[in-house]
Amino acid sequence: YGGECQVIEENILVFNDSCGGLYTKNLLNDDEPTLLTSVNPNIRFGDITISKCLNYVICIQEVHKDDEVVNSLVKVYLNNSNGIQQEPVSLVKGNDFYTSPRISPCGNFLAYLTWNLPDMPWEGSQLCVAKLPKDNECIAESVVIGGIPGKECCTQPKWKCSKNDVMELFFISDRENFLNIFKVKLDYQLNFLESPKNIFKIESDFCTPAWNFGQSEYDILPDGNIICHGNLNEKPTTIIFYPEDSSKRIILSEKYSDLECIQSLKDSKTNNQKIFFVAGTKTDFKALYSVEIPIINENFDTKDLNPEFKVLKKFNELMLDSEFISICESKTFLTKEGKKFYGYLFLPKNKNFCGLKGELPPLICISHGKKLRHKVIKMLIYNLGGPTDYRPSYLETQTQIFTSLGYAMLFVNYGGSSKYGREFRERLNSNWGIVDVNDCCEAALALAEQGLVDRNRMVIKGQSSGGYTTLACLTFRPDIFSAGVSLYGIGNLVTLAKFTHKFEKNYMEVLLGGTLTNNPKVYFDRSPINFVDNIIAPILLLQGSEDKVVPPEQSEKIYNSIKSKNGEIEYKVFEGEAHGWQR
């Protein structure tokens, strides 16, 4: 899904525009950007990395031609003083996907990730290292550091400055179930001096699935230590640890739910380390933060560390009174088979109102700008926007709107979600439309049994694949929820399999246990659009008119079928909106 389409190194900006050209701009002058490549809307660039010598970039090139999409790693030179656009130099090609080109500090080697269909990157991507060729040659040979198709994924490679002809490469791998940080040592002939080693083994994922280019969920600090974020002792924890001995670690904070976009640098004026990241907390909206800390060595006294976290940019300027903020509670649920899954519960909170005695919880029903009947809603249960996604616990506007109006909200990290290890995520393999549906239903019922919500007034809501889970719950377990809201939810798995894009072309083979050709019955049987007669709850469908992933025809068929039987359904089309709604 793209990313890293612009990058800055020192005073040099390189970026890709929507027309398909790659440009460079010196930020120290007012000159217009220089076009490096020809402009072609069928060619796209991303995941751009600038060489330390500032004379070229390495990036992903994606070429669209007819019905074929070809991905490769290419080099583009930054010196274009003659004004003639150049053809990118092909470095590596042949596999279905490439990502994360990272040039070594010495400038002579390249680390990159690659994988082939039917895998998604979190199912079987490989980490490779190669010696960079001179001039316009292709890479002759690459060494595989880690990753096994369908069994192990590697992600987020990062180099550490080399010493004495020894290179250290860090990366994240799930070879031991959880996405932990590994290190490998190589010489300049790319021989292993030390095999890949898990340097901080805990039962927590340090990153999320690679849906986009440029994800950075840990970093190597200027002093050589590692900053990362994971669940330590069942608490979301920001940690700095010594890579040679992870028992030597510092708890930087237990405030943030998740850290993204982690970057660090050395301040030349103070000689301190500055760390930048994006995060949210249970009481604060997502923001860009910075924190400055001293250089940390083995003799550093942690008592001298007094980090001051500064907000550099708020992504939501809304100021909420703390007496209106519903703080989430972590919940652990059990499947009927006794397996654990998880969720975050937000209970109603409003300092100006309280619930009626004996009622769970106080009722305010809002849907499509008008009140629904008294029976419809008492608890909202949200599921994820992607089968392998994860819902953290940070503050969010929509959640607080509903809780201030008297709703309880539950975000379900069902079996198949990320952040709980590979085995947990693989519960959804062959079971999409079963595990996610049952977990959402069982979580809702568990809260009702605990006396936290009204069993007879629950609604389920989701978007995209979360909308699929919503439609599947209403179709295949129609006695659980009293209403549902689907935002561009997938209703027809057959259509999705036939017309989806290259990145997710074979995704459903894993989720449904086979292809449409060899397993058509499963695709039919798990498509809610084929069983809408089962739906008895009121439902709201929200749809983009330009959606190519979930075409409006799917929502229209569901709407017409339910409407023809006098069922309760509303259908709203947003003109010009595509999948995901960006306008």
Side-chain angles (χ1 to χ4, degrees):
Y1 282 94
E4 290 291 281
C5 57
Q6 68 281 317
V7 65
I8 297 175
E9 185 72 37
E10 295 186 13
N11 61 316
I12 302 299
L13 166 67
V14 180
F15 64 95
N16 175 215
D17 74 351
S18 59
C19 296
L22 197 63
Y23 296 79
T24 184
K25 170 79 172 74
N26 190 322
L27 299 178
L28 298 182
N29 60 46
D30 295 327
D31 294 347
E32 289 294 315
T34 300
L35 179 62
L36 299 173
T37 65
S38 59
V39 175
N40 186 335
N42 295 320
I43 297 179
R44 302 161 192 178
F45 299 96
D47 216 345
I48 305 168
T49 298
I50 302 180
S51 65
K52 296 298 180 183
C53 56
L54 304 180
N55 63 348
Y56 66 87
V57 298
I58 295 177
C59 59
I60 311 301
Q61 178 181 263
E62 185 174 278
V63 179
H64 293 247
K65 187 176 181 180
D66 300 325
D67 293 330
E68 185 181 22
V69 179
V70 178
N71 298 72
S72 61
L73 277 175
V74 299
K75 177 197 287 187
V76 179
Y77 290 96
L78 296 180
N79 184 7
N80 192 28
S81 57
N82 59 13
I84 300 175
Q85 284 76 54
Q86 59 186 290
E87 279 294 318
V89 177
S90 177
L91 292 176
V92 186
K93 60 183 179 181
N95 287 350
D96 288 325
F97 296 99
Y98 298 91
T99 185
S100 306
R102 303 293 180 257
I103 303 169
S104 65
C106 67
N108 296 324
F109 300 92
L110 179 72
Y112 63 92
L113 298 169
T114 183
W115 71 97
N116 287 306
L117 297 171
D119 282 341
M120 299 296 283
W122 52 84
E123 290 167 348
S125 53
Q126 290 187 305
L127 172 60
C128 301
V129 174
K131 184 173 178 59
L132 279 170
K134 296 180 180 180
D135 302 323
N136 297 336
E137 299 174 2
C138 293
I139 286 175
E141 184 179 4
S142 298
V143 175
V144 177
I145 303 298
I148 302 172
K151 295 182 179 180
E152 176 199 351
C153 87
C154 296
T155 189
Q156 299 187 28
K158 300 194 178 193
W159 293 97
K160 185 177 179 181
C161 290
S162 56
K163 294 180 181 180
N164 303 321
D165 295 338
V166 176
M167 299 185 293
E168 291 185 341
L169 179 62
F170 294 80
F171 60 98
I172 294 178
S173 169
D174 63 0
R175 65 174 59 183
E176 297 176 10
N177 185 24
F178 290 92
L179 284 161
N180 287 177
I181 300 171
F182 284 71
K183 181 183 74 173
V184 63
K185 289 185 178 181
L186 304 165
D187 64 17
Y188 281 11
Q189 286 71 48
L190 297 184
N191 297 311
F192 286 88
L193 300 177
E194 182 183 285
S195 297
K197 177 184 178 182
N198 189 340
I199 58 173
F200 193 1
K201 188 173 183 177
I202 63 172
E203 292 187 353
S204 175
D205 286 349
F206 283 121
C207 71
T208 51
W211 283 96
N212 303 95
F213 291 147
Q215 294 177 205
S216 180
E217 292 162 285
Y218 78 103
D219 201 23
I220 305 167
L221 300 178
D223 62 13
N225 293 314
I226 306 291
I227 181 171
C228 58
H229 185 90
N231 282 332
L232 193 63
N233 301 320
E234 298 185 354
K235 291 182 179 179
T237 308
T238 307
I239 309 157
I240 294 175
F241 73 91
Y242 183 54
E244 303 302 326
D245 182 0
S246 62
S247 66
K248 298 176 181 178
R249 55 180 178 250
I250 297 169
I251 304 301
L252 195 62
S253 176
E254 293 179 337
K255 179 180 179 180
Y256 302 101
S257 59
D258 266 317
L259 263 65
E260 306 170 59
C261 309
I262 305 173
Q263 301 288 339
S264 61
L265 55 82
K266 189 174 182 178
D267 190 318
S268 58
K269 294 181 180 180
T270 65
N271 206 37
N272 286 338
Q273 306 177 102
K274 284 189 174 180
I275 305 168
F276 304 87
F277 59 90
V278 173
T281 76
K282 291 183 178 181
T283 55
D284 299 295
F285 296 113
K286 265 190 173 184
L288 173 63
Y289 289 86
S290 74
V291 60
E292 186 170 333
I293 62 172
I295 298 294
I296 299 172
N297 55 40
E298 293 185 65
N299 300 318
F300 181 81
D301 189 345
T302 57
K303 295 179 182 178
D304 297 333
L305 188 66
N306 186 27
E308 181 182 352
F309 295 90
K310 297 180 179 180
V311 176
L312 302 180
K313 172 66 177 177
K314 292 182 178 180
F315 301 148
N316 189 329
E317 296 292 343
L318 181 65
M319 301 296 293
L320 291 181
D321 186 327
S322 61
E323 293 188 68
F324 283 98
I325 296 176
S326 174
I327 298 177
C328 75
E329 302 174 16
S330 298
K331 289 290 183 181
T332 300
F333 303 100
L334 292 176
T335 67
K336 290 182 178 180
E337 297 75 29
K339 295 180 179 179
K340 292 181 180 179
F341 66 99
Y342 309 94
Y344 291 111
L345 174 65
F346 295 80
L347 291 171
K349 187 172 182 179
N350 187 319
K351 69 176 182 179
N352 297 325
F353 297 93
C354 62
L356 298 176
K357 186 177 181 179
E359 192 172 18
L360 297 172
L363 175 65
I364 299 178
C365 296
I366 299 177
S367 180
H368 203 50
K370 63 179 182 180
K371 288 185 179 182
L372 297 179
R373 289 181 294 171
H374 179 83
K375 70 176 183 179
V376 175
I377 303 171
K378 197 63 162 211
M379 184 191 78
L380 283 176
I381 175 171
Y382 269 64
N383 52 70
L384 308 169
T388 57
D389 207 344
Y390 163 77
R391 175 50 165 89
S393 58
Y394 56 74
L395 187 68
E396 189 182 57
T397 308
Q398 189 176 123
T399 305
Q400 301 303 316
I401 290 174
F402 281 112
T403 55
S404 71
L405 294 174
Y407 297 81
M409 295 185 70
L410 174 68
F411 292 83
V412 181
N413 288 319
Y414 53 74
S417 307
S418 57
K419 299 292 282 188
Y420 301 101
R422 188 181 186 100
E423 292 176 6
F424 186 89
R425 180 174 52 74
E426 288 182 342
R427 287 187 196 174
L428 205 60
N429 290 4
S430 302
N431 291 306
W432 191 29
I434 298 175
V435 167
D436 51 325
V437 168
N438 288 337
D439 285 0
C440 286
C441 292
E442 297 308 319
L445 292 173
L447 293 183
E449 290 171 4
Q450 294 168 22
L452 296 173
V453 300
D454 189 327
R455 167 66 183 89
N456 296 316
R457 291 177 289 184
M458 302 189 298
V459 59
I460 185 166
K461 177 180 178 180
Q463 58 192 35
S464 190
S465 66
Y468 166 73
T469 302
T470 293
L471 295 171
C473 284
L474 298 175
T475 303
F476 303 122
R477 295 194 66 176
D479 59 327
I480 304 298
F481 296 103
S482 299
V485 181
S486 170
L487 293 81
Y488 44 91
I490 300 161
N492 191 334
L493 299 178
V494 174
T495 302
L496 184 65
K498 287 181 177 179
F499 300 110
T500 194
H501 49 88
K502 179 184 176 182
F503 181 59
E504 296 183 73
K505 181 179 179 181
N506 300 97
Y507 191 18
M508 289 196 295
E509 290 182 27
V510 175
L511 295 175
L512 298 177
T515 67
L516 180 58
T517 301
N518 64 28
N519 209 0
K521 188 174 187 302
V522 169
Y523 284 73
F524 182 89
D525 289 348
R526 294 196 202 162
S527 295
I529 200 168
N530 298 320
F531 303 95
V532 291
D533 288 352
N534 294 348
I535 297 175
I536 57 176
I539 184 170
L540 172 64
L541 302 178
L542 303 177
Q543 175 72 47
S545 66
E546 304 304 314
D547 196 329
K548 305 300 182 185
V549 179
V550 181
E553 291 79 15
Q554 289 193 28
S555 295
E556 289 167 8
K557 183 176 178 181
I558 293 173
Y559 172 78
N560 291 330
S561 179
I562 293 177
K563 199 69 176 177
S564 67
K565 295 177 173 56
N566 296 318
E568 294 185 68
I569 186 167
E570 293 285 346
Y571 177 43
K572 172 66 176 178
V573 177
F574 293 85
E575 292 298 329
E577 286 287 5
H579 197 70
W581 294 356
Q582 300 299 316
R583 297 180 64 183

